[in-house]
Amino acid sequence: MKLITTLCFCFLSFSVSAEQVAKAMLAKHFVVAEQNKSQRKLKRKSAIYNNDLIVTGDKARAQIKFSEGTILTLGADTQFSVLEFNHGTQHQTPNATLEFVTGAFRVVTGEITKVARPNFKIKTPMGSIGIRGTDFWGGNLYSQETIDVILLDSEHPIIIENQFGRVVITEPGTGSTLRQGEAPSQPEKWSEQKLQDAVKTIQ
């Protein structure tokens, strides 16, 4: 009885303190959310909270829809954290900070970037991506030692930067590569084959 009471208390504590910011639209094969050393298996309509680390397994796919419409798609063998997602209230400015660890992802932004100066960025181990309202892909395409980013469709740019430099991508079909200890590569048009290889990782 004491064990049941303790488990109930822990669940209630998590429910009260955590803020739901999204829900899973798709969770195929092994997809879990980790937080506070606990793990939740995700399925369709499962809640996603701030500070969740989403982990996908071999051949897995996940699609997450945030409260204001932003859609995050994750490929297999991916780790991706929702550090903070705040759509904004009467007294708060919308802001979001996500973190890509490994794997592959695609982001199509929703209402959160439809303000004058949206504060939406994705951290990576080799730099950050600033988002102004867009559809783009990122991930370890051919090597764990590099992170490729490509703008798929947008009227707004994405900004990729780290301590070594900064590039702005404005043209769909154009991408940049991040390497440890180097500035982001200058934007260049991707080949049709490279684009197809990227898209396959999240289909």
Side-chain angles (χ1 to χ4, degrees):
M1 184 69 177
K2 183 178 179 181
L3 176 61
I4 294 174
T5 303
T6 302
L7 289 172
C8 288
F9 176 75
C10 291
F11 176 77
L12 288 171
S13 296
F14 175 77
S15 298
V16 170
S17 63
E19 177 187 358
Q20 180 178 344
V21 294
K23 64 180 179 180
M25 298 174 65
L26 171 72
K28 185 178 179 181
H29 300 306
F30 179 84
V31 182
V32 298
E34 298 179 356
Q35 185 168 161
N36 297 328
K37 297 182 180 180
S38 65
Q39 193 178 84
R40 313 186 312 275
K41 183 173 174 57
L42 297 182
K43 58 183 180 180
R44 189 170 179 272
K45 297 186 177 180
S46 291
I48 308 295
Y49 302 92
N50 276 332
N51 296 311
D52 271 348
L53 169 65
I54 312 301
V55 179
T56 68
D58 182 45
K59 298 181 181 179
R61 292 290 185 273
Q63 191 167 75
I64 294 163
K65 186 173 184 178
F66 288 86
S67 55
E68 44 56 82
T70 291
I71 296 176
L72 169 67
T73 305
L74 303 177
D77 301 315
T78 295
Q79 295 183 37
F80 200 102
S81 290
V82 181
L83 300 181
E84 179 183 13
F85 199 96
N86 169 31
H87 182 204
T89 66
Q90 186 177 358
H91 306 291
Q92 292 178 307
T93 301
N95 69 86
T97 302
L98 310 180
E99 184 173 27
F100 166 74
V101 181
T102 188
F105 69 95
R106 179 178 183 175
V107 171
V108 181
T109 57
E111 295 292 327
I112 195 168
T113 53
K114 294 181 180 178
V115 295
R117 292 185 178 179
N119 182 19
F120 190 167
K121 74 178 173 183
I122 296 177
K123 297 180 177 181
T124 83
M126 301 174 197
S128 66
I129 306 166
I131 305 165
R132 299 292 179 266
T134 185
D135 175 358
F136 75 99
W137 178 96
N140 307 116
L141 185 55
Y142 298 129
S143 168
Q144 291 295 117
E145 305 301 316
T146 60
I147 297 173
D148 285 301
V149 181
I150 182 172
L151 182 62
L152 296 174
D153 185 24
S154 178
E155 296 178 359
H156 303 278
I158 54 175
I159 300 168
I160 306 171
E161 59 186 335
N162 58 22
Q163 67 188 96
F164 304 102
R166 178 179 189 266
V167 298
V168 179
I169 299 179
T170 58
E171 185 181 351
T174 302
S176 173
T177 300
L178 283 160
R179 294 178 176 85
Q180 200 70 49
E182 297 181 15
S185 68
Q186 288 302 307
E188 63 178 12
K189 198 78 172 179
W190 280 20
S191 67
E192 187 62 31
Q193 184 61 59
K194 187 172 181 179
L195 176 59
Q196 288 179 8
D197 289 346
V199 172
K200 283 177 184 176
T201 64
I202 46 87
Q203 283 183 334

